[in-house]
C-alpha cells in the first residue's frame, strides 16, 4: 500500500499542507511523490542557490545504503534504530537489514505525523519493523518509549542511525552532541553509531561557500532550523566510541560521505554536492 499526499486531498491529521516539512522536502529532492506544492517550491528555491542540492540528497541516500549493508552483512547487526528516518523510499533500512537477516529488527523514529502514518501503512505486515512518532532532540521521548524498549533488546548491540537528521536544529551548537551522548550511554558494548551532517568546511572552499549560501536560503525561508559543524565538531558527536576506517588502510575518521567505502572508483572529480555532507560510523567499545 502506498499513500500519495497531494494538496488536492485531505491531509493526514496534524499535517499543515501550507508549511513545508523536512521529510517531504527530502522526498521531493529524491524524486518521490509524497509531498505538497509548498515542498516543491522550497526545493526550487534551494536549487536556485545550490543547483546540486538534489544530488546531495541522493549522495546521503547512497551513504545510508552502504552503511546499512556493512552493518547488517559484515558486522551481523540485527537491531537498528533509525532516528529522523523521513518518508520511506527505496532501499530502506529494514529492507537492507532483513535481506541479510529476515528476523532483523528495525525501529524508525520521526516527529512528522506524515512519516508516522505513511510508515505504519507501509509496514503493516512486517512484524519485525516498527515506527515511533517522537522527537530525538528530546532523547527520553525515544529511549523511554514503550515500543523502543519492547521491540529492541538493549542488552545486545544496536545500530543507532542519524542520517542527515541532527543538523535540523537551531540555537545551541552543542545540542547534537548532547543528543548522541544520551543514546551512546544507553547502548550495549558492540553497538554502532552512524551520523551524516552538513559540513562547515570553514576554509573558504567552494563547498564552504555552497553550505553558507544554502543555510542562508534555508534560514530566510519556511524551514529555519539547519546548522553545520566542522569535521572536528562532527567527530565529537561520537564521544568515546571508536570511529571505523572509511577506506582500507586508513585511520578511523570523519570524512565526506562519498569517501566512506564508496562502491566503486570515482571517474570524475567530486562535485560540491558530494562534499557538503560529512560523517562516519563508530563502534562502542
Amino acid at each position: 500500500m502506498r499513500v500519495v499526499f497531494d494538496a488536492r486531498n485531505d491531509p493526514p491529521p496534524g499535517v499543515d499542507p501550507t508549511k513545508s516539512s523536512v521529510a517531504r522536502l527530502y522526498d521531493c529532492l529524491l524524486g518521490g511523490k509524497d509531498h505538497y506544492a509548498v515542498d516543491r517550491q522550497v526545493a526550487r528555491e534551494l536549487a536556485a542557490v545550490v543547483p546540486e542540492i538534489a544530488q546531495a540528497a541522493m549522495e546521503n541516500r547512497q551513504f545510508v545504503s552502504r552503511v546499512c549493508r556493512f552493518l547488517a552483512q559484515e558486522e551481523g547487526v540485527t537491531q537498528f534504530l533509525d532516528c529522523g528516518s523521513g518518508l520511506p523510499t527505496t532501499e530502506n533500512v529494514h529492507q537492507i537489514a532483513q535481506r541479510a537477516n529476515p528476523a532483523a529488527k528495525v525501529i524508525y523514529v520521526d516527529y512528522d505525523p506524515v512519516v508516522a502514518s505513511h510508515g505504519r501503512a507501509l509496514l503493516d505486515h512486517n512484524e519485525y519493523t516498527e515506527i515511533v512518532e517522537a522527537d530525538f532532540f528530546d532523547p527520553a521521548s525515544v529511549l523511554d518509549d514503550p515500543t523502543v524498549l519492547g521491540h529492541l533488546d538493549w542488552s545486545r548491540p544496536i545500530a543507532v542511525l542519524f542520517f542527515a537528521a541532527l543538523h535540523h536544529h537551531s540555537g545551541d551548537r552543542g545540542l547534537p552532541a548532547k543528543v548522541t551522548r544520551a543514546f551512546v550511554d544507553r547502548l550495549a558494548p558492540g553497538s554502532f553509531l552512524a551520523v551524516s551532517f552538513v559540513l562547515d568546511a570553514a576554509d573558504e572552499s567552494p563547498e564552504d561557500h555552497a553550505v553558507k549560501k544554502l543555510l542562508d536560503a534555508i534560514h530566510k525561508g519556511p524551514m529555519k532550523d539547519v546548522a553545520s559543524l566542522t569535521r572536528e565538531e562532527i567527530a565529537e558527536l561520537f564521544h568515546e566510541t571508536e570511529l571505523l576506517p572509511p577506506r582500507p588502510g586508513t585511520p578511523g575518521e570523519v570524512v565526506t560521505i562519498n569517501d566512506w567505502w564508496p562502491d566503486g572508483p570515482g571517474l570524475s572529480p567530486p562535485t560540491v554536492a558530494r562534499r557538503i555532507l560529512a560523517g562516519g560510523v563508530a563502534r562502542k567499545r
Side-chain angles (χ1 to χ4, degrees):
M1 177 179 181
R2 185 165 177 78
V3 182
V4 177
F5 300 102
D6 188 286
R8 296 169 295 180
N9 301 327
D10 292 332
V15 175
D16 184 350
T18 67
K19 294 181 179 180
S20 185
S21 84
V22 172
R24 298 197 311 268
L25 175 61
Y26 273 121
D27 178 75
C28 180
L29 292 173
L30 291 169
K33 299 179 179 179
D34 301 322
H35 49 265
Y36 293 108
V38 65
D39 305 300
R40 294 189 287 276
Q41 178 60 34
V42 172
R44 286 192 293 269
E45 292 171 358
L46 296 180
V49 177
V50 180
E52 298 166 318
I53 185 66
Q55 184 187 354
M58 185 60 68
E59 289 288 339
N60 186 70
R61 198 68 202 170
Q62 292 169 355
F63 178 61
V64 172
S65 181
R66 295 197 305 277
V67 170
C68 291
R69 287 202 320 264
F70 165 76
L71 292 174
Q73 297 176 9
E74 303 300 326
E75 294 293 335
V77 177
T78 60
Q79 300 189 106
F80 294 79
L81 182 61
D82 186 0
C83 297
S85 57
L87 286 161
T89 61
T90 57
E91 283 296 273
N92 297 290
V93 173
H94 73 280
Q95 293 168 317
I96 299 169
Q98 291 169 5
R99 191 178 302 132
N101 184 336
K105 294 183 177 181
V106 177
I107 293 184
Y108 294 111
V109 178
D110 206 289
Y111 73 95
D112 191 329
V114 166
V115 173
S117 61
H118 188 110
R120 291 188 183 105
L122 181 70
L123 302 171
D124 185 48
H125 301 295
N126 190 316
E127 63 179 307
Y128 296 108
T129 305
E130 300 285 349
I131 187 160
V132 171
E133 187 176 339
D135 184 357
F136 61 76
F137 282 111
D138 174 15
S141 72
V142 178
L143 294 169
D144 297 334
D145 181 89
T147 299
V148 173
L149 292 174
H151 190 66
L152 302 179
D153 180 355
W154 286 81
S155 68
R156 297 177 53 247
I158 296 171
V160 176
L161 316 174
F162 289 100
F163 293 121
L166 287 164
H167 55 232
H168 288 290
H169 79 98
S170 59
D172 181 2
R173 195 174 178 95
L175 179 59
K178 294 175 183 176
V179 171
T180 56
R181 170 85 274 169
F183 281 83
V184 168
D185 284 348
R186 289 283 190 99
L187 292 174
S191 294
F192 291 86
L193 175 65
V195 175
S196 61
F197 206 103
V198 173
L199 176 63
D200 177 1
D203 60 3
E204 298 302 317
S205 61
E207 57 265 33
D208 189 23
H209 288 289
V211 167
K212 290 175 181 176
K213 290 194 298 182
L214 177 62
L215 296 183
D216 185 60
I218 291 172
H219 295 158
K220 291 178 180 177
M223 297 174 60
K224 304 179 185 300
D225 57 342
V226 174
S228 62
L229 294 178
T230 65
R231 286 179 190 250
E232 293 75 17
E233 289 172 320
I234 295 173
E236 291 172 359
L237 302 178
F238 294 94
H239 304 286
E240 72 283 350
T241 60
E242 178 185 9
L243 276 164
L244 303 183
R247 284 176 180 266
T250 62
E253 60 183 338
V254 168
V255 294
T256 53
I257 58 175
N258 65 294
D259 281 331
W260 197 90
W261 291 99
D263 284 331
L267 301 180
S268 60
T271 63
V272 167
R274 299 179 70 182
R275 303 196 302 267
I276 64 174
L277 287 168
V281 180
R283 179 189 288 107
K284 183 172 181 179
R285 293 189 289 267

